[in-house]
Amino acid sequence: MAVPYSAGTVRELARLYAGHEVLRPFRIRCHEPGAVLEVGLRGVFPGGRADVRLEVERFVGGGYAGQVYKVRLTDVVRREGEVEGL
């Protein structure tokens, strides 16, 4: 009988992995709902920079181009100039 998938188990394994200072980075195949991502952005025109915090709401799908998520923008820290639309 198959064991059901558990996002909590995945989070716990990632926490344990990080605690052992393994040299090989932990590879995340899919972000779970509730995961918080901190990303640096750069605008195209104007070319401002910002750091943003995103919270994953749900996995939408994936394929050749990569994974698609619905996220909520929770914080913006402008580093340089303006990044339009945030």
Side-chain angles (χ1 to χ4, degrees):
M1 183 162 104
V3 177
Y5 179 81
S6 169
T9 300
V10 173
R11 282 191 295 273
E12 180 64 14
L13 287 172
R15 187 189 68 75
L16 290 170
Y17 190 92
H20 288 285
E21 300 178 7
V22 179
L23 295 177
R24 177 178 282 189
F26 186 74
R27 298 182 93 186
I28 298 173
R29 293 184 183 260
C30 182
H31 297 289
E32 302 296 333
V36 176
L37 308 173
E38 295 181 357
V39 182
L41 299 179
R42 182 175 183 134
V44 176
F45 184 78
R49 293 177 190 239
D51 294 330
V52 297
R53 180 175 291 158
L54 308 166
E55 183 177 341
V56 176
E57 292 186 353
R58 69 183 183 96
F59 176 70
V60 176
Y64 178 76
Q67 298 175 352
V68 180
Y69 296 92
K70 179 179 179 186
V71 298
R72 183 175 348 126
L73 180 65
T74 59
D75 192 25
V76 177
V77 177
R78 286 177 176 34
R79 296 289 176 206
E80 170 187 315
E82 290 292 319
V83 179
E84 294 294 324
L86 294 181

